[in-house]
Amino acid sequence: MAGLQLLSDEGFRTDGRRPNELRRLRCKIGVFTQADGSAYFEMGNTKVLAAVYGPHEVRGSRSKAMHDRVLINCQYSMAVFGGVERKKRPRGDRKSVEMTEHLQQAFESTIFLNLYPRSQIDVFVEVLQSDGSNYCACLNAAMLALVDAGIAVRDIVCASSAGLVESQTIIDMNHVEETQGKTQLIVSLLPKTKKIAVLSLNGRLHDDYWEELMESATKGCMDIFNFMEKNVQEYLASLSTSQSYADD
Amino acid sequence: MSEVANIYRITQPREYQKKFLEAGVRSDGRKLDEFREALIGIGPVSTADGSALVALGETKVICGIKLEVAPPKVDKPRCGYIVPNVDLPPLASSDFRPGPPSELAQVSSQLMLEIVLKSKCVLLEDLCIAEGRMCWVLYCDLICLNYDGNLLDACTMALTAALCNVKLPKAFVNEETGAIEIDFKQKVPLNIRSRPVATTSSVFEKETLYVDPVREELKHASLTVTVVTSNEISGSTVDSDNICVIHKTGGGSVNEEQIEQCISNGRCHTPFVLSLIGSALTKSEV
């Protein structure tokens, strides 16, 4: 199949990046007033908003409430105008449900579940514009929103994608690279202990390349973690200075 | 805010609001006829064919427009379609629950359609490519990102701004083959004939009329009235005297004077919003 050449002869990708280069990261914590915690995260052209409500009483069926831990309810939603073609169902289709499951798994590994028994934490993610690595951007945004909401977490979970193109590993795939059918690995890491929260591999992979691919994805996660940690510290610093001027 | 006031606000919300309104001010310090600060950003979503982000105080709405082609309706072969849709996701407020579109979302969607059609913002005939064979469909999706009251004003502003940002690819019928060809490289801005502006006012306990309600105030308002001015564009001037839609919700009753007051609020507010949209558009073209 005559596909797009993902890697040029000089080693540049379709958007001019080097194979181990992340896209431009931007984020803003605390963007909404209604939600308990909110964040906006950008990875290149992928723009994601996340909002966290909770912990609050379990809504809907009381039977779902667990006596010793919190119920995490995630919802992944993609804006209909966010992709190249207009998406008819923003949520509820299989891909979205799978993403929602993965998000839930990642947060269950990092939130101190036993601190909020019989309660529910809602995590809502909205993809405004999609250009590849949707899951990673969603996880990162949602993690920042959880921090903003003041939920007790073990670690700041980060996610990054990595792929294999002509035996060269690339980090942070965009939409064009994702749709070419190459091998894609998505890893979600707890940075301090380097433990893996969520891992998902699509496509064929020869055993020889496994370590290299895993290393690339881990490196991507650590780079994103450094960026997120810096932003969280700046945000907390700005909060504390504004608090000191508040009235009694 | 002091502790006592905060406690009063949570335990007696209605009385809290009443105290302010009776004194002729609002709980956030505004006067009864004062609007919140509005900000408009054009073209934030590059995957959409036209987009706008509006922040009306804390209420934030994003509008994305996608173009598609479709055969026109049999009884209207020379008209295209406009399909507005208002989405109120649970991320915007704890008032919105996950699930099928709520009543508010459905009513707002229908109202957006009425506003676009009645103000003749976009003539459906302008969306025709080939009579009876193909026409443009404008899917206008409005997503509320943060809900703090006055959804309709923010949605109308976002829709108007996004429509002004849409560029239609050139579509023409090939003379020889009769086939329809669309050239995506050549784009023409959509012909916007008017810029509708909505102004919402609320009434508290039959007497006090105030504009631009916030979520807290809406809980205790007996009704809201939305007035939409159509503002036709003729040449370079904008004629802002025509009203195209008036929408009243809520169980309370309102007298003629109050409706007159709402209409005049709408008229006064319109030039301000139009200039905001105008300056946002010129900034985006730079």
Side-chain angles (χ1 to χ4, degrees), chain A residues 121-178:
Chain A
I121 296 177
D122 294 320
V123 180
F124 300 114
V125 180
E126 185 89 27
V127 178
L128 294 178
Q129 195 174 313
S130 128
D131 188 25
S133 292
N134 284 354
Y135 174 75
C136 305
C138 287
L139 186 76
N140 296 332
M143 190 65 233
L144 291 174
L146 279 172
V147 168
D148 185 35
I151 310 250
V153 288
R154 283 190 187 89
D155 208 342
I156 295 183
V157 190
C158 312
S160 172
S161 62
L164 197 66
V165 171
E166 291 155 24
S167 66
Q168 166 76 269
T169 52
I170 53 173
I171 293 186
D172 193 12
M173 303 169 77
N174 61 26
H175 182 73
V176 173
E177 290 162 351
E178 272 183 0

Side-chain angles (χ1 to χ4, degrees), chain A residues 31-35 45 47 49-51 53 59-60 73 75 77-88 90-91 124-126 128-130 247-248, chain B residues 1-3 44-48 58 60 62-66 68 85 87 89-95 97-99 139 141-143 145-148 215:
Chain A
V31 287
F32 297 144
T33 52
Q34 288 293 313
N45 281 330
K47 299 176 179 151
L49 275 169
Y53 286 88
R59 297 217 181 99
N73 175 36
Q75 195 189 78
S77 167
M78 166 118 143
V80 285
F81 46 76
V84 177
E85 269 198 26
R86 184 175 179 265
K87 202 163 189 286
K88 300 248 169 17
R91 54 196 84 103
F124 300 114
V125 180
E126 185 89 27
L128 294 178
Q129 195 174 313
S130 128
D247 287 336
D248 53 316
Chain B
M1 192 187 303
S2 77
E3 279 302 312
V45 181
S46 48
T47 47
E58 292 296 333
K60 298 183 169 76
I62 190 166
C63 176
I65 301 187
K66 291 287 267 184
E68 272 183 25
N85 183 44
D87 186 17
L91 93 85
S93 165
S94 45
D95 297 340
R97 296 294 165 82
Y139 285 107
D141 296 285
L142 293 130
I143 302 181
L145 301 173
N146 195 37
Y147 176 65
D148 193 21
R215 181 174 163 260

Side-chain angles (χ1 to χ4, degrees), chain A residues 22-230:
Chain A
L22 286 171
R23 287 179 286 183
R24 183 181 67 168
L25 299 171
R26 271 168 134 187
C27 80
K28 187 144 200 314
I29 310 180
V31 287
F32 297 144
T33 52
Q34 288 293 313
D36 293 320
S38 54
Y40 170 73
F41 200 85
E42 240 182 63
M43 280 172 84
N45 281 330
T46 301
K47 299 176 179 151
V48 175
L49 275 169
V52 167
Y53 286 88
H56 56 72
E57 212 187 320
V58 177
R59 297 217 181 99
S61 50
R62 286 283 149 75
S63 56
K64 280 205 193 140
M66 290 174 273
H67 69 277
D68 59 346
R69 50 158 283 184
V70 71
L71 176 71
I72 302 179
N73 175 36
C74 291
Q75 195 189 78
Y76 167 89
S77 167
M78 166 118 143
V80 285
F81 46 76
V84 177
E85 269 198 26
R86 184 175 179 265
K87 202 163 189 286
K88 300 248 169 17
R89 274 184 91 182
R91 54 196 84 103
D93 61 306
R94 265 201 241 147
K95 192 84 212 265
S96 307
V97 174
E98 195 193 345
M99 296 257 206
T100 308
E101 276 272 340
H102 287 324
L103 282 173
Q104 213 160 307
Q105 282 166 9
F107 295 135
E108 289 196 351
S109 69
T110 178
I111 296 179
F112 283 105
L113 304 169
N114 304 84
L115 285 182
Y116 310 101
R118 307 196 68 83
S119 308
Q120 183 178 337
I121 296 177
D122 294 320
V123 180
F124 300 114
V125 180
E126 185 89 27
V127 178
L128 294 178
Q129 195 174 313
S130 128
D131 188 25
S133 292
N134 284 354
Y135 174 75
C136 305
C138 287
L139 186 76
N140 296 332
M143 190 65 233
L144 291 174
L146 279 172
V147 168
D148 185 35
I151 310 250
V153 288
R154 283 190 187 89
D155 208 342
I156 295 183
V157 190
C158 312
S160 172
S161 62
L164 197 66
V165 171
E166 291 155 24
S167 66
Q168 166 76 269
T169 52
I170 53 173
I171 293 186
D172 193 12
M173 303 169 77
N174 61 26
H175 182 73
V176 173
E177 290 162 351
E178 272 183 0
T179 48
Q180 287 298 309
K182 305 285 179 191
T183 315
Q184 187 188 25
L185 172 72
I186 296 178
V187 166
S188 157
L189 209 67
L190 285 113
K192 297 212 172 76
T193 50
K194 296 259 183 12
K195 289 208 168 139
I196 300 171
V198 172
L199 188 141
S200 151
L201 174 70
N202 294 322
R204 281 188 327 182
L205 181 67
H206 194 280
D207 196 30
D208 290 347
Y209 294 115
W210 168 249
E211 269 215 50
E212 209 186 314
L213 195 60
M214 194 59 209
E215 236 183 81
S216 290
T218 310
K219 170 129 194 330
C221 285
M222 292 312 293
D223 288 341
I224 293 179
F225 170 65
N226 291 333
F227 170 76
M228 279 166 75
E229 197 182 22
K230 190 164 70 99

